[in-house]
Protein backbone atom coordinates (compact mmCIF):
# COMPACT_ATOMS: atom_id res chain seq x y z
CA UNK A 1 0.00 0.00 0.00
CA UNK A 2 1.35 3.40 -0.96
CA UNK A 3 0.98 6.60 0.97
CA UNK A 4 0.65 10.14 -0.30
CA UNK A 5 2.61 12.90 1.36
CA UNK A 6 0.25 15.83 1.89
CA UNK A 7 1.86 19.22 1.74
CA UNK A 8 1.43 21.43 4.74
CA UNK A 9 -0.64 24.56 4.08
CA UNK A 10 1.60 27.33 2.86
CA UNK A 11 2.12 30.06 5.43
CA UNK A 12 2.88 33.44 3.95
CA UNK A 13 5.39 35.73 5.65
CA UNK A 14 3.77 38.62 7.53
CA UNK A 15 3.86 42.14 6.22
CA UNK A 16 6.32 44.51 7.81
CA UNK A 17 6.76 48.24 7.32
CA UNK A 18 9.56 49.07 4.92
CA UNK A 19 9.42 45.85 2.90
CA UNK A 20 9.89 46.16 -0.84
CA UNK A 21 7.24 44.04 -2.61
CA UNK A 22 5.41 43.77 -5.90
CA UNK A 23 1.66 44.37 -5.80
CA UNK A 24 0.58 40.73 -6.10
CA UNK A 25 2.89 39.55 -3.31
CA UNK A 26 1.73 42.42 -1.11
CA UNK A 27 -1.93 41.65 -1.81
CA UNK A 28 -1.58 37.95 -1.03
CA UNK A 29 0.26 38.64 2.23
CA UNK A 30 -2.18 41.38 3.19
CA UNK A 31 -5.16 39.04 2.78
CA UNK A 32 -3.39 36.52 5.05
CA UNK A 33 -2.75 39.04 7.83
CA UNK A 34 -4.91 39.08 11.00
CA UNK A 35 -8.14 41.12 10.93
CA UNK A 36 -7.57 44.74 11.81
CA UNK A 37 -4.23 44.97 10.01
CA UNK A 38 -3.92 48.12 7.91
CA UNK A 39 -1.21 48.44 5.30
CA UNK A 40 -0.57 50.13 1.97
CA UNK A 41 1.90 49.58 -0.85
CA UNK A 42 3.17 52.94 -2.04
CA UNK A 43 5.92 53.07 -4.61
CA UNK A 44 6.63 49.39 -3.97
CA UNK A 45 7.22 49.92 -0.22
CA UNK A 46 4.97 48.66 2.58
CA UNK A 47 3.62 51.35 4.89
CA UNK A 48 1.69 50.59 8.08
CA UNK A 49 0.15 53.72 9.60
CA UNK A 50 0.34 54.78 13.22
CA UNK A 51 -2.75 55.19 15.47
CA UNK A 52 -5.10 58.02 14.49
CA UNK A 53 -6.15 60.93 16.70
CA UNK A 54 -9.76 61.96 17.22
CA UNK A 55 -9.52 65.04 14.96
CA UNK A 56 -8.54 62.76 12.07
CA UNK A 57 -11.63 60.62 12.62
CA UNK A 58 -13.98 63.59 12.96
CA UNK A 59 -12.77 65.34 9.81
CA UNK A 60 -12.79 62.05 7.91
CA UNK A 61 -16.40 61.46 8.98
CA UNK A 62 -17.43 64.98 7.91
CA UNK A 63 -15.82 64.47 4.51
CA UNK A 64 -17.65 61.17 4.14
CA UNK A 65 -20.93 62.94 4.96
CA UNK A 66 -20.11 65.63 2.38
CA UNK A 67 -19.33 63.09 -0.35
CA UNK A 68 -22.34 60.89 0.40
CA UNK A 69 -24.61 63.95 0.18
CA UNK A 70 -23.16 64.75 -3.24
CA UNK A 71 -23.53 61.14 -4.33
CA UNK A 72 -27.19 61.17 -3.25
CA UNK A 73 -27.93 63.82 -5.88
CA UNK A 74 -25.55 62.40 -8.51
CA UNK A 75 -26.88 58.97 -9.37
CA UNK A 76 -24.44 56.38 -10.62
CA UNK A 77 -21.34 57.45 -8.69
CA UNK A 78 -19.55 55.11 -6.33
CA UNK A 79 -17.37 55.81 -3.32
CA UNK A 80 -16.02 54.39 -0.10
CA UNK A 81 -14.00 54.84 3.06
CA UNK A 82 -10.62 53.10 3.44
CA UNK A 83 -11.34 50.84 0.46
CA UNK A 84 -8.44 48.78 -0.87
CA UNK A 85 -7.64 50.28 -4.27
CA UNK A 86 -5.28 48.65 -6.75
CA UNK A 87 -3.81 51.47 -8.80
CA UNK A 88 -1.55 49.40 -11.05
CA UNK A 89 2.18 48.83 -10.82
CA UNK A 90 3.60 48.61 -7.28
CA UNK A 91 0.63 50.47 -5.79
CA UNK A 92 -2.19 49.27 -3.55
CA UNK A 93 -3.63 51.88 -1.23
CA UNK A 94 -6.54 52.61 1.10
CA UNK A 95 -7.52 56.28 0.67
CA UNK A 96 -9.45 57.82 3.54
CA UNK A 97 -12.21 58.64 1.05
CA UNK A 98 -12.77 58.24 -2.66
CA UNK A 99 -15.38 59.16 -5.23
CA UNK A 100 -15.41 57.46 -8.59
CA UNK A 101 -17.27 57.05 -11.85
CA UNK A 102 -17.68 53.34 -12.63
CA UNK A 103 -16.25 52.14 -15.92
CA UNK A 104 -19.70 51.41 -17.35
CA UNK A 105 -20.47 55.13 -17.06
CA UNK A 106 -17.21 56.14 -18.69
CA UNK A 107 -15.01 56.15 -15.59
CA UNK A 108 -11.57 54.78 -14.84
CA UNK A 109 -12.28 52.11 -12.23
CA UNK A 110 -13.82 48.67 -12.15
CA UNK A 111 -14.31 46.02 -9.47
CA UNK A 112 -12.13 42.91 -9.80
CA UNK A 113 -12.68 40.24 -7.15
CA UNK A 114 -14.48 42.91 -5.15
CA UNK A 115 -11.53 45.33 -5.11
CA UNK A 116 -11.48 48.76 -6.72
CA UNK A 117 -9.02 48.56 -9.60
CA UNK A 118 -7.81 51.63 -11.45
CA UNK A 119 -7.48 55.28 -10.41
CA UNK A 120 -10.56 56.79 -8.72
CA UNK A 121 -11.54 60.16 -10.11
CA UNK A 122 -11.13 61.71 -6.64
CA UNK A 123 -9.09 60.49 -3.68
CA UNK A 124 -9.09 62.20 -0.29
CA UNK A 125 -6.48 61.91 2.45
CA UNK A 126 -6.65 63.40 5.95
CA UNK A 127 -3.27 63.75 7.63
CA UNK A 128 -1.49 65.06 10.69
CA UNK A 129 1.92 63.46 11.27
CA UNK A 130 1.80 61.75 7.87
CA UNK A 131 1.66 65.03 5.93
CA UNK A 132 5.15 64.60 4.35
CA UNK A 133 4.14 61.10 3.24
CA UNK A 134 0.73 62.11 1.84
CA UNK A 135 2.17 65.12 0.01
CA UNK A 136 5.31 63.21 -1.01
CA UNK A 137 5.53 59.60 -2.13
CA UNK A 138 1.79 58.97 -1.89
CA UNK A 139 0.89 62.05 -3.92
CA UNK A 140 3.51 60.96 -6.48
CA UNK A 141 1.90 57.51 -6.71
CA UNK A 142 -1.55 59.02 -7.23
CA UNK A 143 -0.11 61.23 -9.94
CA UNK A 144 1.68 58.35 -11.71
CA UNK A 145 -1.42 56.16 -11.50
CA UNK A 146 -3.53 58.74 -13.34
CA UNK A 147 -5.78 59.93 -10.51
CA UNK A 148 -7.61 63.00 -11.87
CA UNK A 149 -8.08 64.84 -8.54
CA UNK A 150 -6.44 64.55 -5.12
CA UNK A 151 -7.83 66.36 -2.08
CA UNK A 152 -5.44 66.65 0.87
CA UNK A 153 -6.84 67.81 4.22
CA UNK A 154 -4.10 68.66 6.71
CA UNK A 155 -4.46 68.97 10.48
CA UNK A 156 -2.22 71.02 12.77
CA UNK A 157 -1.97 73.28 10.91
CA UNK A 158 -5.35 73.07 9.22
CA UNK A 159 -5.12 73.33 5.46
CA UNK A 160 -6.78 72.12 2.28
CA UNK A 161 -4.79 71.44 -0.86
CA UNK A 162 -6.68 70.28 -3.91
CA UNK A 163 -4.70 68.93 -6.87
CA UNK A 164 -6.05 68.43 -10.37
CA UNK A 165 -4.45 66.61 -13.25
CA UNK A 166 -3.11 68.80 -16.07
CA UNK A 167 -0.98 67.42 -18.90
CA UNK A 168 -0.25 64.28 -16.90
CA UNK A 169 0.89 66.11 -13.75
CA UNK A 170 -0.82 67.46 -10.64
CA UNK A 171 -1.38 71.20 -10.45
CA UNK A 172 -2.80 72.89 -7.38
CA UNK A 173 -6.41 74.02 -7.69
CA UNK A 174 -6.94 77.23 -5.73
CA UNK A 175 -10.22 78.17 -4.07
CA UNK A 176 -12.43 80.78 -5.66
CA UNK A 177 -12.50 84.40 -4.47
CA UNK A 178 -15.18 83.32 -1.99
CA UNK A 179 -12.85 80.73 -0.46
CA UNK A 180 -14.80 77.80 -1.93
CA UNK A 181 -13.03 74.90 -3.64
CA UNK A 182 -14.80 73.60 -6.74
CA UNK A 183 -14.04 70.22 -8.28
CA UNK A 184 -13.35 70.15 -12.01
CA UNK A 185 -14.10 66.44 -12.41
CA UNK A 186 -17.32 66.45 -10.38
CA UNK A 187 -19.36 69.57 -11.24
CA UNK A 188 -21.11 70.97 -8.19
CA UNK A 189 -18.79 69.31 -5.66
CA UNK A 190 -18.03 72.45 -3.68
CA UNK A 191 -16.05 72.51 -0.43
CA UNK A 192 -16.05 75.23 2.22
CA UNK A 193 -12.82 74.48 4.07
CA UNK A 194 -13.61 76.84 6.95
CA UNK A 195 -16.94 75.09 7.56
CA UNK A 196 -15.14 71.74 7.54
CA UNK A 197 -12.57 72.78 10.15
CA UNK A 198 -15.20 74.62 12.24
CA UNK A 199 -17.31 71.43 12.25
CA UNK A 200 -20.14 73.56 10.83
CA UNK A 201 -21.99 70.80 9.01
CA UNK A 202 -24.95 73.05 8.19
CA UNK A 203 -22.67 75.45 6.32
CA UNK A 204 -20.68 72.58 4.75
CA UNK A 205 -23.83 71.10 3.21
CA UNK A 206 -25.43 74.46 2.38
CA UNK A 207 -22.45 75.36 0.20
CA UNK A 208 -22.49 71.92 -1.39
CA UNK A 209 -26.20 72.33 -2.12
CA UNK A 210 -25.39 75.55 -3.97
CA UNK A 211 -23.05 73.58 -6.21
CA UNK A 212 -25.60 70.82 -6.71
CA UNK A 213 -28.14 73.44 -7.81
CA UNK A 214 -25.96 74.64 -10.70
CA UNK A 215 -26.61 73.99 -14.37
CA UNK A 216 -23.18 72.32 -14.60
CA UNK A 217 -24.21 69.68 -12.07
CA UNK A 218 -27.51 69.09 -13.86
CA UNK A 219 -25.65 68.55 -17.13
CA UNK A 220 -23.26 66.12 -15.42
CA UNK A 221 -26.16 64.10 -14.00
CA UNK A 222 -27.70 63.99 -17.47
CA UNK A 223 -24.44 62.70 -19.01
CA UNK A 224 -24.22 59.94 -16.39
CA UNK A 225 -27.83 58.99 -16.98
CA UNK A 226 -27.35 58.75 -20.74
CA UNK A 227 -24.19 56.69 -20.28
CA UNK A 228 -26.12 54.32 -18.02
CA UNK A 229 -28.85 53.83 -20.61
CA UNK A 230 -26.24 52.85 -23.20
CA UNK A 231 -24.84 49.99 -21.07
Amino acid sequence: MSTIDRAEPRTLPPLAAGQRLDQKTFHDRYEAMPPGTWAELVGGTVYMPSPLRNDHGENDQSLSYWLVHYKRYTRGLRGGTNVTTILGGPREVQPDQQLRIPVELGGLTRLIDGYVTGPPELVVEVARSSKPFDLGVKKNDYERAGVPEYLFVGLDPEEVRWFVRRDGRFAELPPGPDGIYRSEVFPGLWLDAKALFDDDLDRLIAVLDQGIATAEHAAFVDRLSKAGRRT
Side-chain angles (χ1 to χ4, degrees), residues 36-77:
T37 301
W38 188 8
E40 297 182 295
L41 186 70
V42 178
T45 300
V46 176
Y47 290 87
M48 305 180 81
S50 58
L52 302 177
R53 294 174 183 261
N54 179 70
D55 57 354
H56 183 287
E58 290 206 357
N59 280 278
D60 194 9
Q61 186 179 61
S62 296
L63 288 162
S64 177
Y65 176 51
W66 172 69
L67 289 171
V68 169
H69 187 83
Y70 180 80
K71 194 171 72 165
R72 177 184 177 191
Y73 293 96
T74 318
R75 297 290 298 274
L77 300 184

Side-chain angles (χ1 to χ4, degrees), residues 16-214:
Q19 289 175 324
R20 295 286 298 175
L21 299 173
D22 61 79
Q23 184 270 323
K24 184 180 186 308
T25 301
F26 169 83
H27 188 84
D28 290 344
R29 293 187 187 181
Y30 196 7
E31 286 195 317
M33 292 289 286
T37 301
W38 188 8
E40 297 182 295
L41 186 70
V42 178
T45 300
V46 176
Y47 290 87
M48 305 180 81
S50 58
L52 302 177
R53 294 174 183 261
N54 179 70
D55 57 354
H56 183 287
E58 290 206 357
N59 280 278
D60 194 9
Q61 186 179 61
S62 296
L63 288 162
S64 177
Y65 176 51
W66 172 69
L67 289 171
V68 169
H69 187 83
Y70 180 80
K71 194 171 72 165
R72 177 184 177 191
Y73 293 96
T74 318
R75 297 290 298 274
L77 300 184
R78 297 291 181 266
T81 300
N82 293 324
V83 174
T84 290
T85 304
I86 300 170
L87 294 174
R91 308 176 187 96
E92 183 172 322
V93 296
Q94 291 181 210
D96 287 321
Q97 302 291 334
Q98 61 177 265
L99 189 64
R100 55 192 182 82
I101 303 170
V103 67
E104 59 268 21
L105 299 185
L108 302 173
T109 58
R110 65 182 73 240
L111 295 181
I112 298 178
D113 296 328
Y115 294 106
V116 174
T117 303
E121 278 71 22
L122 173 67
V123 292
V124 182
E125 297 286 3
V126 181
R128 175 187 284 271
S129 60
S130 65
K131 175 180 175 178
F133 170 69
D134 287 291
L135 288 177
V137 292
K138 199 168 192 182
K139 173 176 168 281
N140 292 341
D141 259 17
Y142 285 144
E143 184 179 70
R144 292 187 184 109
V147 170
E149 288 192 334
Y150 174 36
L151 171 58
F152 170 82
V153 177
L155 309 173
D156 192 26
E158 295 174 339
E159 63 174 327
V160 165
R161 297 182 66 180
W162 198 313
F163 301 93
V164 62
R165 192 170 191 80
R166 302 207 194 288
D167 298 322
R169 301 294 300 273
F170 277 151
E172 198 149 355
L173 181 69
D178 54 1
I180 305 302
Y181 291 87
R182 294 169 171 83
S183 170
E184 293 186 356
V185 174
F186 294 102
L189 185 62
W190 292 8
L191 177 65
D192 185 328
K194 185 176 186 303
L196 173 67
F197 293 128
D198 288 347
D199 197 28
D200 186 347
L201 298 182
D202 289 339
R203 171 68 179 170
L204 185 73
I205 298 304
V207 169
L208 177 56
D209 281 338
Q210 292 175 26
I212 289 171
T214 61

